C-alpha cells in the first residue's frame, strides 16, 4: 500500500476506490501513527481503536470518503453513546444521548472515527491547554486542483486598528507576501477592509454573547450530569463568563444580538466591491504554552482578545473563511493568512485556496520530530 502518512482525505479515499488499499489498511496505519506520535503531542485524548477496526472490516456507507480514518473534534460533534467532554473534566466519561448533524454527515460520508482531538475548555481560548486534560503541543517548533477562480478583487488588511490588538511583524509579512503572490496570479490586490471591522463596541457585545453561550452550554452539561458543575471544576476564564451570564438580563442579551445584527449589515456591503478580504489569521505566531495565563486571570482575557484581531468578526457574520499556511518564521513556525469571502461564496475560497496551494505548495513541509 502507498504510504498514507501525508495523504489528505481525498487521496486516501482514492486508494480505497482504486483497490490499492482497504479501509482496514488505512485505519491500521493511522492507529500506528497515533500510537507513535501522540505521547509527544497529546493531540488525541480519547481513542476507539477496536470499534474503528470493527467498522473498517464491516459494511460502510458508500460515501465519497468510504474507509478514510478521521479524528472528531471533542467539541460539539456528538455521537450517541460516546463521550464528548468539550475540555471539561466532569464530562470525561459522560456519553451523549444523540448524534449531532455534523457527526452524522461525517459518518454518512464513510469516514471512520478513531477518537477525539484535544480542545480548549469550552473552546473559549486560543491554545489547547485545558485544566482537565494534558496540553496539546504544536508539532511545529523553532528550527524547522480546482477550477480557475478568475481574476479576483482582493482587499488586503495587514494590521489591526488600535493599540489593543497584537500586531506582530511576521503576520504583516505573511499577508504582504500573500498579496504579492495573489497579484502574480493575476488578481487585483489593494489595501482595503470593511470600515466596521474594528468598531470599538464589537468586543463588548461579542463577550456578552460568549458569556451567555458559555453558561447555556454548562447548564446543558449539568442537565446530562445530573448535578451542578462547581466553579473550581472549570477554568477561571469560564467561571468568569458564567458568572457574568448569571447577572445578564434578557434585555441586555437581546441588545447585544441586535447590535451585532446591525453591525453585520454594515460589514456586508464591502463585498459588493471585493471578492475576498486578506488578513493575518492571528495577531502573532504561536506562543509558548502557558503564555495566556502567565500574567494571571485578570490578564488572560485581554491577552486572548488581543491575539485574535481578525477572526471573531466572521464568527459573528457567518461568512466563510479559510486559513492557509503561506509563511514561516525564521525559526520555522508556520504563520497563517486568512481569506474571507462574501456570504455563501465558499466556492471562491476553495478555488483560490487550490490556486495558492499549487503556486506555493505546503503539503511537503512537515514538522520535524521533537528531541527527547
Amino acid at each position: 500500500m502507498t504510504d498514507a502518512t501525508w495523504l489528505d482525505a481525498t487521496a486516501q479515499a482514492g486508494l480505497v476506490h482504486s483497490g490499492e488499499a482497504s479501509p482496514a489498511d488505512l485505519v491500521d496505519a493511522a492507529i500506528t501513527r497515533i500510537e507513535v506520535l501522540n505521547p509527544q503531542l497529546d493531540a488525541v485524548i480519547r481513542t476507539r481503536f477496536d470499534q474503528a477496526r470493527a467498522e473498517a472490516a464491516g459494511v460502510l456507507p458508500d460515501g465519497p470518503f468510504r474507509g478514510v480514518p478521521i479524528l472528531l473534534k471533542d467539541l460539539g460533534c456528538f455521537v450517541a453513546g460516546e463521550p464528548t467532554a468539550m475540555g471539561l473534566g466532569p464530562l470525561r466519561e459522560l456519553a451523549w444521548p444523540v448524534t449531532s448533524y455534523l457527526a452524522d454527515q461525517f459518518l454518512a460520508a464513510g469516514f471512520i472515527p478513531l477518537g477525539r482531538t484535544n480542545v480548549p475548555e469550552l473552546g473559549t481560548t486560543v491554545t489547547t491547554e485545558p485544566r482537565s486534560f494534558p496540553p496539546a503541543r504544536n508539532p511545529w517548533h523553532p528550527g524547522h486542483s480546482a477550477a480557475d477562480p478568475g481574476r479576483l478583487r482582493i482587499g488586503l488588511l495587514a494590521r489591526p486598528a488600535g493599540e489593543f490588538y497584537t500586531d506582530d511583524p511576521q503576520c504583516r509579512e505573511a499577508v504582504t507576501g500573500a498579496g504579492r503572490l495573489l497579484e502574480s496570479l493575476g488578481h487585483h490586490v489593494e489595501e482595503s477592509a470593511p470600515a466596521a471591522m474594528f468598531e470599538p463596541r464589537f468586543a463588548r457585545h461579542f463577550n456578552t454573547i460568549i458569556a451567555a453561550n458559555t453558561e447555556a452550554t454548562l447548564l446543558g452539561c449539568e442537565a446530562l450530569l445530573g448535578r451542578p458543575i462547581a466553579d473550581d471544576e472549570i477554568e477561571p476564564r469560564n467561571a468568569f463568563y458564567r458568572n457574568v451570564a448569571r447577572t445578564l438580563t434578557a434585555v441586555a442579551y437581546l441588545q447585544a444580538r441586535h447590535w451585532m445584527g446591525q453591525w453585520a449589515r454594515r460589514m456586508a456591503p464591502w463585498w459588493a466591491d471585493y471578492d475576498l478580504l486578506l488578513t493575518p489569521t492571528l495577531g502573532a505566531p504561536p506562543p509558548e504554552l502557558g503564555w495566556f495565563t502567565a500574567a494571571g486571570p485578570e490578564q488572560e482575557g485581554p491577552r486572548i482578545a488581543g491575539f485574535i484581531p481578525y477572526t471573531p468578526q466572521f464568527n459573528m457574520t457567518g461568512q466563510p473563511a479559510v486559513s492557509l499556511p503561506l509563511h514561516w518564521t525564521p525559526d520555522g513556525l508556520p504563520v497563517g493568512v486568512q481569506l474571507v469571502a462574501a456570504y455563501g461564496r465558499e466556492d471562491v475560497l476553495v478555488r483560490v485556496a487550490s490556486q495558492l496551494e499549487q503556486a506555493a505548495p505546503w503539503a511537503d513541509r512537515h514538522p520535524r520530530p521533537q528531541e527527547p
Side-chain angles (χ1 to χ4, degrees), residues 57 63 98 135 168 180 195 225 240 258 264 273 290 313 328 339 363 369 372:
V98 295
D168 191 279
R180 289 192 298 269
L225 280 171
F240 172 79
H258 179 69
D273 297 320
Q313 292 90 335
W328 274 259
L339 287 162

Side-chain angles (χ1 to χ4, degrees), residues 29-198:
I31 288 173
T32 297
R33 291 195 297 276
I34 292 170
E35 290 175 336
V36 170
L37 295 174
N38 200 55
Q40 303 172 49
L41 303 177
D42 284 313
V44 182
I45 57 166
R46 189 178 304 108
T47 62
R48 57 187 304 277
F49 292 162
D50 291 341
Q51 299 97 309
R53 286 186 168 112
E55 290 161 5
V59 178
L60 292 166
D62 192 21
F65 295 101
R66 177 177 171 271
V68 176
I70 190 174
L71 290 165
L72 299 180
K73 188 175 182 179
D74 204 39
L75 187 69
C77 193
F78 309 117
V79 174
E82 298 186 5
T84 299
M86 299 187 286
L88 289 167
L91 271 62
R92 188 187 301 269
E93 303 299 332
L94 180 67
W96 284 78
V98 295
T99 296
S100 66
Y101 176 82
L102 179 60
D104 184 66
Q105 294 302 298
F106 282 140
L107 298 175
F111 283 110
I112 301 176
L114 303 186
R116 293 278 176 165
T117 63
N118 207 346
V119 297
E121 185 180 281
L122 296 178
T124 56
T125 187
V126 180
T127 53
T128 298
E129 40 188 329
R131 66 175 291 172
S132 299
F133 295 90
R137 300 192 177 275
N138 191 335
W140 295 92
H141 56 97
H144 169 73
S145 173
D148 188 333
R151 188 172 188 265
L152 301 177
R153 303 159 300 169
I154 300 172
L156 183 150
L157 176 63
R159 63 192 314 162
E163 299 299 321
F164 174 77
Y165 296 109
T166 306
D167 179 26
D168 191 279
Q170 287 295 319
C171 295
R172 296 199 301 273
E173 185 177 337
V175 168
T176 55
R180 289 192 298 269
L181 177 58
L182 286 161
E183 284 184 326
S184 75
L185 295 170
H187 303 297
H188 174 73
V189 180
E190 65 182 25
E191 291 189 9
S192 182
M197 185 86 175
F198 297 109

